[in-house]
Amino acid sequence: MTTSWLDLPADHPFGLATLPYGVFSTAADPRRRVGVRVGDHVLDAAAAAEQAGMESGVCWDRPSLNDFLSRGHHAWAAARAWLVEVLSDPMYRDAVEPHLLPVADVTMHLPFEVADYVDFYASEHHASNVGRIFRPDSEPLTPNWKHLPIGYHGRAGTVVVSGTDIVRPCGQRKAPSDPAPTFGPSRRLDIETELGFVVGGATPLGQPVPIDEAVEHLFGVVLLNDWSARDIQAWEYVPLGPFLGKSFGTSISAWVVPMAALEAAHVPLPGQDPQPLDYLRGDEGSVFGLDIHCEVRVNGTAVSRPEYADMYWSPTQMLAHLSVNGASLRDGDLFGSGTISGADRQTRGCLLELTWSGQEPVTLEDGTTRAFLEDGDTVTITGWAPGPDGARIGLGEVTGTIRPAFE
Amino acid sequence: MTTSWLDLPADHPFGLATLPYGVFSTAADPRRRVGVRVGDHVLDAAAAAEQAGMESGVCWDRPSLNDFLSRGHHAWAAARAWLVEVLSDPMYRDAVEPHLLPVADVTMHLPFEVADYVDFYASEHHASNVGRIFRPDSEPLTPNWKHLPIGYHGRAGTVVVSGTDIVRPCGQRKAPSDPAPTFGPSRRLDIETELGFVVGGATPLGQPVPIDEAVEHLFGVVLLNDWSARDIQAWEYVPLGPFLGKSFGTSISAWVVPMAALEAAHVPLPGQDPQPLDYLRGDEGSVFGLDIHCEVRVNGTAVSRPEYADMYWSPTQMLAHLSVNGASLRDGDLFGSGTISGADRQTRGCLLELTWSGQEPVTLEDGTTRAFLEDGDTVTITGWAPGPDGARIGLGEVTGTIRPAFE
């Protein structure tokens, strides 16, 4: 295992096996630029690259990761190798150390400009539970569910960085028993615990990405909270899908963890039956699950511990599917996995499922209960994965606090 | 009526009452920059502004309209007044005329970077017909349809300019009688005749746009063809809406016609019953239809003449709805009206309706018939509206040719 002259504890979630990318600024230097998290510091990547003589580091002197994303997977691998080298070989210490800033001194920003945002629905347990709740008189899974990764486009312009407050949305709500819809603040505001995949290496229109090449377009992952107004969603979503019930805000973690950091976390999928069509089947290694562990806290109380390994569809299957009609990829495309839910109640990734549509509220440590979120509630999702040689890969956190509706 | 020193015929669709914006380049000067169509010429707007001493014209020296869109409705009005002045007052002729290029000598590009793309479903006739075809055992309109303008997010990255070829998409298709889905090129490739609304004047997250201010964020309109693969769409769209059946390409006209050019085309809506909720009701003038006439040609044969005045929901209602949950607007947001269809067969805006799901093919002038589009087919949609004092406002055209599937 490579060690750093930074003298990090072996089990630090942001050791040399993680090295996530983000965009930061400081009070002294308010320019937004790319940073790399290492231990409890943020490396000013462009400044370090310049001093250490790495020319391609210029793509880090930008207010977003998009330029770096456009360089493609060979450049991402070379950059990661360079970072490991300069952070482990003492020869680089003098050049690099001045560009390490305490994480407490930086402000983090949205790490990339989101091009298109797609949200999938890749957990069989989540889709089944939602089907039972929203469509009690039908089969829980629709007939297409095991043939293709169901997904839809969300609003890219309302993806925000962790720490951004979320204003409770207003909209039309109508319970089946109501005679007509009413307008007002959502009464069923929910979270959705997801993993987000960040795409780079743009492709031309009309040319699908084969599944065996899909991983080359996956730059990294973020934790994602797809805030959902269940009452607005339930009334609007037939026939064209969720719209205002989702588009008011989607939060992502500030740190993008490279896919390269998750190689030790690849696991087999739980199993797919029926076997998917050819374009969703790849060579060995092309289709995989991820051994990522999440925790969801509401005002500090852990209410759920979703396991990403329970997901039915592979991220590479999602990417191959979304481009199989010739849709082009852009640097900065983001797709969410859909809510991460397992078979057990304590692994359900949203309150809709956890409280079974509000019928079985969860109790917080302060003794209060929640069917759905209240104004002032803070939701924090954390995550980690196993790394090489017993290392721990930290996924950081995505957090947000609910502000009262705009009235 | 203002006349131009250009000596345009009074009924020219691109007279001084139209003045649409686009982005062009020439062989001699390949920089993409903003142009204004006038008669059979394109005005190099930034160059003319510089020579005529208009400082704010710098936002036209850009490869997209987005900077101009960000300036807001007062700036749009001032720019339009300036254009009318310099194109009508002979005093400006010497400064402006050198920057008029024959339209045949320019190449047109995508006029703006599409931020988020939303597609609505605002024609009662279209929604009813599609309901009858896709869900023959249910009521044609879903219970929510007359309470809110149904919409969903589409793929912004695959919006292309008129003239771009469209590759027939592949995907999963399954007729109800098929035992399992199969993969291959769409067999039911369709058009959707729509109007697209181009948004400017960004708004902050969490703050809805009141309906009486909505028109201030509508910069202009384009003709829009929302190409649709009906077989892919029918199999995938339950429960989260259309995805790959739409995301392979959406074509828009190269010229964005300002909303200011359409003021003489405002007409009352056909009528809304039940009365919508308060946030969808505005002061007099805030809610309107548009007297826009379209023609759809397949390989030169006119197959339909949709009338925009038949649409149920106002563009301002669509904008107020899409932001009522606090979703922010960005410069370059685009929303489509949904297919424009009327009560009569000859006003239906897509082949799904025109041929009643392929059962009643249309006959082209060459004697061939079409249930859906074939490889090599060229679809052209044109449009016009009445202008002030008998002028005619040209909406130009959106055209595209189907190329064979990628295999």
Side-chain angles (χ1 to χ4, degrees):
Chain A
M1 187 174 175
T2 312
T3 55
S4 174
W5 46 258
L6 271 164
D7 198 22
L8 293 170
D11 62 348
H12 198 294
F14 297 111
L16 294 190
T18 308
L19 297 179
Y21 295 91
V23 168
F24 77 100
S25 63
T26 61
D29 185 350
R31 287 175 312 125
R32 295 185 185 198
R33 52 210 194 268
V34 173
V36 176
R37 175 86 185 254
V38 53
D40 299 321
H41 288 81
V42 174
L43 180 71
D44 187 334
E50 187 180 359
Q51 192 160 347
M54 190 218 193
E55 277 181 35
S56 62
V58 292
C59 68
W60 290 328
D61 192 18
R62 300 278 189 280
S64 82
L65 284 168
N66 294 59
D67 191 352
F68 185 44
L69 294 174
S70 76
R71 306 292 173 110
H73 65 108
H74 292 300
W76 308 335
R80 188 167 167 83
W82 178 83
L83 287 165
V84 170
E85 186 181 0
V86 301
L87 291 167
S88 54
D89 187 336
M91 184 181 98
Y92 292 97
R93 184 168 183 162
D94 286 350
V96 169
E97 199 163 28
H99 304 294
L100 284 169
L101 310 168
V103 71
D105 292 352
V106 309
T107 300
M108 300 303 299
H109 304 282
L110 192 68
F112 56 100
E113 283 178 50
V114 182
D116 270 299
Y117 167 46
V118 167
D119 201 25
F120 283 97
Y121 196 50
S123 159
E124 181 178 359
H125 301 287
H126 172 68
S128 300
N129 286 334
V130 171
R132 286 188 192 100
I133 292 167
F134 272 26
R135 296 176 296 277
D137 301 327
S138 310
E139 282 292 307
L141 289 183
T142 50
N144 50 15
W145 199 90
K146 290 198 167 183
H147 293 280
L148 51 82
I150 296 279
Y152 69 103
H153 284 88
R155 192 162 184 84
T158 53
V159 176
V160 297
V161 71
S162 177
T164 306
D165 287 348
I166 298 295
V167 176
R168 179 180 298 272
C170 289
Q172 291 196 26
R173 314 143 310 179
K174 181 186 169 303
S177 57
D178 295 339
T182 58
F183 180 82
S186 171
R187 301 181 187 115
R188 292 162 68 88
L189 184 56
D190 200 354
I191 60 186
E192 289 202 332
T193 306
E194 305 193 16
L195 208 58
F197 295 88
V198 182
V199 171
T203 62
L205 188 62
Q207 201 170 302
V209 175
I211 189 161
D212 290 326
E213 296 172 20
V215 77
E216 297 172 3
H217 296 276
L218 295 177
F219 171 73
V221 302
V222 287
L223 293 168
L224 186 152
N225 186 348
D226 182 35
W227 307 93
S228 298
R230 301 301 184 187
D231 40 3
I232 297 172
Q233 180 186 353
W235 169 233
E236 75 181 354
Y237 90 106
V238 177
L240 300 186
F243 184 33
L244 297 186
K246 302 280 193 171
S247 65
F248 58 94
T250 304
S251 299
I252 62 172
S253 52
W255 294 108
V256 184
V257 174
M259 284 303 287
L262 296 172
E263 285 175 2
H266 284 214
V267 289
L269 296 176
Q272 298 185 323
D273 182 22
Q275 187 168 244
L277 287 164
D278 278 350
Y279 78 95
L280 295 172
R281 294 208 300 265
D283 294 339
E284 198 185 329
S286 285
V287 171
F288 53 83
L290 290 166
D291 187 20
I292 291 175
H293 311 267
C294 298
E295 184 172 276
V296 182
R297 294 196 296 269
V298 177
N299 301 338
T301 301
V303 297
S304 176
R305 293 194 173 84
E307 297 284 338
Y308 196 84
D310 286 332
M311 302 298 273
Y312 189 90
W313 293 102
S314 167
T316 50
Q317 291 177 317
M318 297 186 229
L319 187 75
H321 183 65
L322 94 78
S323 77
V324 76
N325 66 347
S328 45
L329 301 180
R330 289 187 292 170
D331 305 304
D333 279 350
L334 169 69
F335 65 89
S337 61
T339 304
I340 310 166
S341 289
D344 299 329
R345 183 171 192 265
Q346 65 269 26
T347 62
R348 295 175 185 162
C350 67
L351 290 171
L352 182 74
E353 292 171 82
L354 273 170
T355 71
W356 209 255
S357 196
Q359 296 171 48
E360 303 164 19
V362 293
T363 303
L364 306 186
E365 281 166 16
D366 65 4
T368 62
T369 60
R370 290 293 180 281
F372 291 96
L373 296 174
E374 298 187 359
D375 290 348
D377 281 351
T378 297
V379 178
T380 303
I381 301 169
T382 58
W384 67 275
D389 307 315
R392 194 180 171 94
I393 307 295
L395 269 71
E397 66 171 33
V398 58
T399 188
T401 298
I402 305 303
R403 282 171 45 200
F406 180 92
E407 285 180 291
Chain B
M1 188 173 176
T2 312
T3 55
S4 175
W5 46 258
L6 270 164
D7 199 23
L8 293 170
D11 62 348
H12 198 294
F14 298 110
L16 294 191
T18 307
L19 298 179
Y21 295 90
V23 168
F24 76 100
S25 64
T26 61
D29 186 349
R31 289 175 311 124
R32 296 186 183 197
R33 53 210 194 269
V34 172
V36 175
R37 176 87 185 254
V38 53
D40 299 321
H41 288 81
V42 174
L43 179 70
D44 186 335
E50 188 181 358
Q51 192 160 347
M54 190 217 193
E55 278 181 34
S56 62
V58 291
C59 68
W60 290 328
D61 193 17
R62 300 277 189 282
S64 81
L65 284 168
N66 294 59
D67 191 353
F68 186 44
L69 294 174
S70 77
R71 306 291 174 111
H73 66 108
H74 291 301
W76 308 336
R80 189 167 165 84
W82 178 84
L83 286 165
V84 170
E85 186 180 0
V86 300
L87 291 167
S88 54
D89 187 336
M91 185 180 97
Y92 292 97
R93 183 169 184 162
D94 287 350
V96 169
E97 198 163 30
H99 304 292
L100 285 169
L101 310 168
V103 71
D105 292 353
V106 309
T107 301
M108 300 304 298
H109 305 282
L110 193 68
F112 56 100
E113 283 177 50
V114 182
D116 270 300
Y117 166 46
V118 166
D119 201 24
F120 282 97
Y121 196 50
S123 158
E124 181 178 359
H125 301 287
H126 173 68
S128 300
N129 286 333
V130 171
R132 286 188 191 100
I133 292 167
F134 273 25
R135 296 176 295 277
D137 302 326
S138 310
E139 282 292 307
L141 288 183
T142 50
N144 50 15
W145 199 91
K146 291 200 167 182
H147 293 280
L148 52 82
I150 296 279
Y152 68 103
H153 283 87
R155 192 162 183 83
T158 53
V159 176
V160 297
V161 71
S162 177
T164 306
D165 287 348
I166 298 294
V167 176
R168 179 180 298 271
C170 290
Q172 292 196 24
R173 313 143 311 178
K174 182 185 170 302
S177 57
D178 295 340
T182 57
F183 180 82
S186 171
R187 301 181 187 115
R188 292 163 69 87
L189 184 56
D190 200 357
I191 60 185
E192 290 202 331
T193 305
E194 304 194 14
L195 207 59
F197 294 88
V198 182
V199 171
T203 62
L205 187 63
Q207 201 169 302
V209 176
I211 190 160
D212 290 326
E213 295 171 20
V215 76
E216 296 173 4
H217 297 275
L218 295 177
F219 171 73
V221 302
V222 287
L223 294 167
L224 186 151
N225 185 346
D226 182 36
W227 306 94
S228 299
R230 300 301 184 187
D231 40 3
I232 296 172
Q233 180 186 354
W235 169 233
E236 75 180 356
Y237 90 105
V238 177
L240 300 187
F243 184 33
L244 298 185
K246 302 279 193 170
S247 64
F248 58 94
T250 304
S251 300
I252 62 172
S253 52
W255 294 109
V256 183
V257 174
M259 284 302 287
L262 296 172
E263 284 174 3
H266 284 214
V267 289
L269 296 176
Q272 298 185 323
D273 181 22
Q275 186 167 245
L277 286 164
D278 278 350
Y279 78 96
L280 295 171
R281 294 208 300 266
D283 294 339
E284 198 184 331
S286 286
V287 171
F288 54 83
L290 290 166
D291 186 22
I292 291 176
H293 311 267
C294 298
E295 183 172 276
V296 183
R297 294 195 297 269
V298 177
N299 301 338
T301 301
V303 298
S304 177
R305 293 194 173 86
E307 296 283 340
Y308 196 84
D310 287 332
M311 302 298 272
Y312 188 90
W313 292 103
S314 167
T316 50
Q317 291 177 318
M318 298 186 229
L319 188 75
H321 184 64
L322 94 77
S323 77
V324 77
N325 66 347
S328 45
L329 303 179
R330 289 187 293 169
D331 305 305
D333 280 349
L334 169 68
F335 64 90
S337 61
T339 305
I340 310 166
S341 288
D344 300 328
R345 183 171 190 266
Q346 67 268 26
T347 61
R348 294 176 185 162
C350 67
L351 291 171
L352 182 74
E353 292 170 83
L354 274 170
T355 71
W356 209 255
S357 197
Q359 296 171 48
E360 304 164 18
V362 293
T363 302
L364 306 185
E365 281 166 14
D366 65 5
T368 63
T369 60
R370 291 292 181 282
F372 291 96
L373 297 174
E374 297 187 359
D375 291 348
D377 281 351
T378 296
V379 178
T380 304
I381 301 169
T382 58
W384 67 275
D389 306 315
R392 193 179 172 96
I393 307 295
L395 269 69
E397 65 171 32
V398 58
T399 187
T401 299
I402 306 302
R403 284 171 44 201
F406 180 92
E407 285 180 291

